[in-house]
Amino acid sequence: MLQQLTFRQLKNALEETQHLPRTLYSEATSSDNWRRIREDVNYSEFWRALEKQAAELIESPVRSPLFTEFTLFGDTGNRAVFQTQRDHLYAGIHAFSMLAMTEDKQEWKSGLDNAIWNVCNEYTWVLPAHVGLYHNDYPNGIWDQPVPPRETVDLLSGMTAFTLAETVYLLKERLHPWVVHRVKEEIDKRIFQVYFNNPTPQNWELKTNNWPAVCSASIGATAIYMIEDSEKLAGMLWRVIGVLRNYFSGFDEQGATPEGPAYWQFGFSYFVYFAELLKERTHGQISLLSEEKVERIAQFPQFCMLTGGKVVNFSDSPDEVTLNTGLIQRLKQYVPSLQLPNEEYHLKPVPGNWLDSTRLMLWSSSQTESLASTGSDERVQEQIFTGNQWVISKVRDSRGGTTAFAAKGGHNEEPHNHNDLGHFIIHVDGQNILADLGLGLYTKQYFQPSYRYEMINAGSHGHSVPIIDGCRQGFGKSYRSEIVYSQISEDNVQIVMDLTKAYACLSLEGLTREFIWKRPINETPQLIITDKAIFTNRPESFQEVFISSVQPQETGSGRLQMNSVTLVYDPEQWELEIEHIFVDSQYKTGAPFYRIVLNRTQVEREIISEFRFEMSEMA
């Protein structure tokens, strides 16, 4: 319905239902639902942590971030100091609102009044890392100016407005009326006037990543809660829906996003939250989740889930992702074929996020057994996502173990991009053995291409791709791959990528990488990679790089064993180097990886390289 919806349909639906009795976020208005999740043993630890946090906030109120903490990002690129202090300040909204929904205690009501008042006192709800998004040279040319840049709406300001609007809607009678009035004033000033009263597009409206989903959905949800006039609301929501259509265009026809499963959840969940509120506001006349493409998008993380909590984590994604079971169960109402993940992939509710945690608990079934995975009887689950050029193949053995292969192409200016065309992952026994380093440490420098692609997380030298005559892959949309052949047969998955345009190498005339993933029944899988490079002149060097999460052991000439995966290569053609590297990310510090570098001993104008990755029997 998202693509076919007209403004007239939207306006009519809002007007026709304006005076009808309605309830928004109906699950949260039921005292029985709150009693259920408060007494659910699965959430006992969460509620204990919430009460402890509330007691600490009452005993020791949190100060606002300092000005020098706010400007630290501009001075050094560090964003963690401010964001940590900001999270402490905002924690009271989430903690006291959830507790107040379950029990009418004066200290929780007072705590919530104070928490909301403190947030309304903030200079801006926009993170320092996102200040100045309108500026052409962002993030440069902002922090050294005599006056601050104009206000914008970013992820956190949109989510803050959404949270406050929902909290006021549900707890209005328990809040001080001045606090309620203040919330309405601040949302109008910081969100509605900034977004709707100025025709200049927001920086994120032109993107197709998670930003347009989170920002526009949050603004739209806030408007549904705050705006009574149906005609005015229709105009506001029409702009929001236009942005969401653009967001949907970032998914290929098979539902894949180049941002991977972690950012899939972040962006798509907010679209779902907004869609369900709009459905309630229009008494079911507008159901955006009935869109045909929703089914394919909703199924994407199922392909990315492997075993042991691991996922296919190309781009800026951690290698372990948990999913909101409330979100998945709500999507199952529209996509019955959707499978619930195993326990190891279940997201736990966290005290610091009202929007996600309440929906996780309130949208999840009250029947514990229904949260168990339905599993799959299929021996093979696989897909070639031709639009975004991902291939994922998972093979189950007779004992239920999973071996998986994934590879990617695309272009090198994707959302949360890494220069990684032709890169791949092999997953065996709960480990991504041939691995992706994942996201780096989020600083100002990490999001500036001149620094980002020198960092091993994002640069092609930190991925399992060749280095051609000393050249790494370049950054930009012009650096791209093409799928020249792909086939899924009974025993094999075969895909050939042309990687010539991934490199700005003057002597390179052509480069292809062929993957043959052999997975015959009753045999252990193996992967064969063949690279063919043609040069106009004989290159000075040619290197193949493979990234491993476990220490390689030489078990023979031309054989490197990495737990249950063995790399086989021709030792006459290659000299081996192994680098032990430690990688910092947003989630881990000093994670160990191994960079396997094979240097071609003899380079010619035409080089053909073949590598075989053999899987041993799974235990």
Side-chain angles (χ1 to χ4, degrees), residues 575-592:
E575 290 181 352
L576 171 67
E577 298 176 31
I578 298 176
E579 302 173 14
H580 190 186
I581 57 177
F582 296 92
V583 178
D584 292 336
S585 75
Q586 195 68 7
Y587 299 96
K588 297 177 183 177
T589 300

Side-chain angles (χ1 to χ4, degrees), residues 315-595:
S315 305
D316 274 344
S317 178
D319 64 352
E320 295 184 356
V321 173
T322 52
L323 297 175
N324 187 322
T325 52
L327 171 69
I328 302 301
Q329 288 205 349
R330 179 52 53 98
L331 287 170
K332 274 180 67 68
Q333 296 180 13
Y334 299 88
V335 186
S337 63
L338 202 61
Q339 296 178 7
L340 291 165
N342 294 325
E343 180 68 33
E344 60 199 1
Y345 291 99
H346 287 189
L347 177 69
K348 304 291 184 185
V350 293
N353 193 320
W354 160 276
L355 296 170
D356 291 334
S357 293
T358 60
R359 284 165 174 83
L360 186 157
M361 295 184 288
L362 293 170
W363 283 0
S364 290
S365 170
S366 59
Q367 301 299 315
T368 305
E369 61 269 20
S370 70
L371 292 176
S373 171
T374 58
S376 174
D377 295 328
E378 293 181 285
R379 188 185 73 87
V380 175
Q381 184 188 32
E382 58 196 3
Q383 181 73 271
I384 297 176
F385 299 92
T386 53
N388 283 313
Q389 298 185 22
W390 283 34
V391 55
I392 301 173
S393 175
K394 296 185 285 188
V395 181
R396 293 164 58 88
D397 67 15
S398 58
R399 293 181 295 276
T402 296
T403 301
F405 156 70
K408 77 173 295 292
H411 65 79
N412 278 343
E413 198 175 348
E414 296 168 342
H416 282 274
N417 180 70
H418 288 189
N419 289 347
D420 59 356
L421 307 180
H423 177 52
F424 67 98
I425 292 169
I426 295 177
H427 174 90
V428 185
D429 294 340
Q431 286 183 292
N432 290 356
I433 294 180
L434 274 295
D436 191 293
L437 301 180
L439 72 172
L441 185 63
Y442 281 12
T443 62
K444 179 169 68 173
Q445 292 83 358
Y446 187 67
F447 289 95
Q448 294 180 282
S450 58
Y451 294 93
R452 180 183 181 91
Y453 300 108
E454 294 302 312
M455 299 179 184
I456 197 164
N457 303 72
S460 68
H461 58 300
H463 294 82
S464 296
V465 297
I467 297 176
I468 308 294
D469 202 10
C471 297
R472 303 174 187 171
Q473 292 186 10
F475 165 72
K477 285 187 178 179
S478 61
Y479 295 94
R480 60 176 56 249
S481 65
E482 294 180 15
I483 295 178
V484 296
Y485 180 80
S486 63
Q487 174 183 282
I488 296 177
S489 65
E490 184 177 351
D491 291 336
N492 298 332
V493 176
Q494 184 179 9
I495 186 165
V496 181
M497 293 182 181
D498 188 332
L499 301 178
T500 310
K501 294 180 180 178
Y503 296 84
C505 179
L506 295 178
S507 62
L508 181 63
E509 189 173 295
L511 173 65
T512 60
R513 167 164 280 192
E514 178 188 49
F515 297 101
I516 300 179
W517 172 243
K518 297 186 175 184
R519 42 156 186 70
I521 296 174
N522 298 325
E523 293 184 29
T524 55
Q526 63 174 288
L527 174 67
I528 298 173
I529 295 178
T530 305
D531 290 341
K532 297 180 181 179
I534 300 175
F535 297 87
T536 55
N537 300 300
R538 188 172 67 86
E540 293 186 6
S541 64
F542 189 91
Q543 294 176 310
E544 294 279 3
V545 178
F546 302 108
I547 303 297
S548 173
S549 65
V550 298
Q551 186 170 4
Q553 304 288 338
E554 287 192 80
T555 57
S557 181
R559 298 183 68 86
L560 273 182
Q561 185 171 334
M562 295 155 280
N563 287 2
S564 51
V565 178
T566 300
L567 165 60
V568 181
Y569 64 94
D570 185 349
E572 299 295 321
Q573 294 182 342
W574 303 97
E575 290 181 352
L576 171 67
E577 298 176 31
I578 298 176
E579 302 173 14
H580 190 186
I581 57 177
F582 296 92
V583 178
D584 292 336
S585 75
Q586 195 68 7
Y587 299 96
K588 297 177 183 177
T589 300
F593 288 90
Y594 297 86
R595 186 170 180 264

Side-chain angles (χ1 to χ4, degrees), residues 11 46 49 108 127-128 134 156 200 232 234 321 475 526 575 593:
K11 182 173 178 292
F46 166 77
W108 290 343
L127 288 178
Y134 284 102
L156 270 295
T200 305
K232 181 178 180 180
V321 173
F475 165 72
Q526 63 174 288
E575 290 181 352
F593 288 90

